[in-house]
Amino acid sequence: MEERIELVATCLFGLEKFLGEEIDALGYQRVETIDGRVTFSGPVSAIARANMFLRFAEKVYIKMGDFTATGFEELFQGVKALEWEKWIGPDDAFPVKGHSIRSQLRSIPDLQSIVKKAVVDRLSAEYGISWFSEEGSLLQIEFFLLNDRAQLLIDTSGAPLYKRGYRKETGEAPIRETLAAALCRIARPREEVLFWDPFCGSGTIPIEAAMMMKNVAPGSFRTFAGENFLDLPETIWKQAREEACDLRKDTKFEAFASDLDPAMVEIAKINAESAGVSDLIRFFPKNALGIETHGRRGTIVCNPPYGERMDTHDKVFDLYSAMGAHWKKLDRWQIYVITSDENFQNHYGRRADNVRKLYNGMLKCFYYQFFKPKEIHSEHAFSRKSFQKERKK
């Protein structure tokens, strides 16, 4: 029977459910889920397949072990007891970094030093050497302390998995590919419904939707740190890439990607070509307030400008108000808007059918979901004057 190992996949806060479902779909067994990470078990080949296919993961780690650590000696002995020689060779580089949250051990430099010394002591005893050149493969060690429990990991991804490799250029405030994929998943792209991002920027949202519908593996366009691990067979990476090619499918899905800036439309077009989905997306410059249904069913998914991306907050609020006024004419269209503005509904002039809190990196955002047209009630529409009064309280 093939040996099973434990892996940890991290994700943006709020995406744990989607990540867990992906892990289930790959046939692996979930062990634990906490904020921002899912632990699961599988064969060694799971390292390659998880990196290749997990659309919502930020990183995939080998879990070396976990234990309680309230003091430095306890941490040192716990790290030293782990079987680092299973992965790290005598010539490999193994830098250390990590985080500590709500734990007695808080000094990151001290924690790095203790973990490094413990790993060196363990490997020195195993290999009979006292000095390590660290000129070979890079195996990044990470520690994560939460509530005095230390978890030790080896990073198999390298660059974060949201860096798919297709995005050659971006705008001023690009959305992470992993978050864009989640927005699409929630909006449920379908072949019979037009998918439209009227603030497309570099095209990330429609590209992720098209990749999802075409079943393009998110790791298809990049390499991973684990490919250089000497103790990982090359065949698992080759098989994962072959599987990714075999799983691609044809689809009649159609997306529109428009933006007021023609230069961004051209950038989005180049990115879609890199992702292999330009055949599913139509790109053109257009004012988002000029959208018309032309009798079609449609879904809008967008990341409109907010404070950092426009001159003033007043301009942002004016835009949101105009969006609400114009888009109420879109008949049966569903509308999904992500923004960091907690008061978006007031400016938009309508209460959302559902609001989901998500994070774009460390920035807290809100995903406002409007499933069907509703009459705009006066109690849901705040005037600018009343809103400014509320802000002063």
Side-chain angles (χ1 to χ4, degrees), residues 4-9 11 15-34 37-43 46 54 56 63 185:
R4 295 182 71 83
I5 59 174
E6 282 199 355
L7 301 172
V8 175
C11 64
L15 304 190
E16 296 85 0
K17 178 178 182 293
F18 298 147
L19 177 57
E21 290 172 350
E22 284 191 304
I23 290 168
D24 294 343
L26 289 176
Y28 306 133
Q29 183 176 358
R30 278 189 264 179
V31 176
E32 180 187 39
T33 300
I34 63 174
R37 59 187 59 210
V38 180
T39 303
F40 62 101
S41 66
L54 292 181
F56 307 109
K63 179 182 173 183
R185 168 69 178 273

Side-chain angles (χ1 to χ4, degrees), residues 167-183:
R167 201 159 68 175
K168 306 305 179 183
E169 294 187 64
T170 64
E172 291 182 11
I175 191 170
R176 282 198 188 185
E177 291 88 330
T178 42
L179 178 57
L183 304 185

Side-chain angles (χ1 to χ4, degrees), residues 128-161:
I129 57 177
S130 59
W131 183 80
F132 293 85
S133 67
E134 298 201 45
E135 295 176 346
S137 299
L138 173 65
L139 287 87
Q140 177 69 60
I141 295 174
E142 293 198 23
F143 58 83
F144 178 61
L145 267 75
L146 176 65
N147 295 325
D148 293 326
R149 188 145 192 93
Q151 188 174 80
L152 277 297
L153 311 161
I154 295 177
D155 179 7
T156 70
S157 300
L161 295 178

Side-chain angles (χ1 to χ4, degrees), residues 74-243:
E74 197 172 15
L75 175 67
F76 179 87
Q77 295 300 334
V79 173
K80 187 176 178 180
L82 302 177
E83 297 179 316
W84 297 101
E85 66 278 2
K86 289 183 64 174
W87 300 101
I88 302 175
D91 299 318
D92 291 339
F94 48 100
V96 176
K97 63 182 180 180
H99 305 277
S100 177
I101 301 173
R102 298 193 299 273
S103 297
Q104 295 181 53
L105 299 177
R106 294 187 293 271
S107 170
I108 300 303
D110 288 343
L111 290 168
Q112 287 176 293
S113 178
I114 293 294
V115 171
K116 182 74 173 187
K117 186 176 187 307
V119 177
V120 168
D121 277 15
R122 171 80 186 205
L123 295 179
S124 293
E126 290 294 326
Y127 295 129
I129 57 177
S130 59
W131 183 80
F132 293 85
S133 67
E134 298 201 45
E135 295 176 346
S137 299
L138 173 65
L139 287 87
Q140 177 69 60
I141 295 174
E142 293 198 23
F143 58 83
F144 178 61
L145 267 75
L146 176 65
N147 295 325
D148 293 326
R149 188 145 192 93
Q151 188 174 80
L152 277 297
L153 311 161
I154 295 177
D155 179 7
T156 70
S157 300
L161 295 178
Y162 69 82
K163 296 185 176 181
R164 312 283 204 222
Y166 66 75
R167 201 159 68 175
K168 306 305 179 183
E169 294 187 64
T170 64
E172 291 182 11
I175 191 170
R176 282 198 188 185
E177 291 88 330
T178 42
L179 178 57
L183 304 185
C184 297
R185 168 69 178 273
I186 294 168
R188 297 182 303 113
R190 288 148 284 171
E191 288 189 337
E192 70 277 10
V193 178
L194 175 64
F195 185 100
W196 194 338
D197 179 0
F199 298 98
C200 74
S202 55
T204 309
I205 291 174
I207 289 172
E208 289 293 327
M211 287 177 64
M212 198 175 291
M213 294 299 291
K214 203 170 185 175
N215 210 22
V216 177
S220 297
F221 312 106
R222 54 163 290 168
T223 57
F224 309 96
E227 293 182 73
N228 295 317
F229 291 8
L230 294 180
D231 287 325
L232 282 179
E234 292 182 14
T235 54
I236 67 171
W237 302 99
K238 182 174 182 291
Q239 290 168 357
R241 294 190 187 282
E242 289 175 349
E243 182 182 359

Side-chain angles (χ1 to χ4, degrees), residues 172 198 200-201 258-267 284-287:
E172 291 182 11
C200 74
S258 59
D259 198 283
L260 197 58
D261 184 352
M264 290 309 304
V265 172
E266 290 304 311
I267 288 173
F284 51 92
K286 188 178 182 67
N287 189 321

Side-chain angles (χ1 to χ4, degrees), residues 189-197 252-257 280 282 284 291-294 296-301 333-334:
R190 288 148 284 171
E191 288 189 337
E192 70 277 10
V193 178
L194 175 64
F195 185 100
W196 194 338
D197 179 0
K252 295 180 180 179
F253 173 75
E254 183 182 15
F256 283 0
L280 303 182
R282 180 183 161 200
F284 51 92
I291 293 177
E292 297 178 351
T293 69
H294 295 293
R296 299 187 62 176
R297 290 183 62 199
T299 297
I300 291 175
V301 180
W333 283 37
Q334 297 183 348

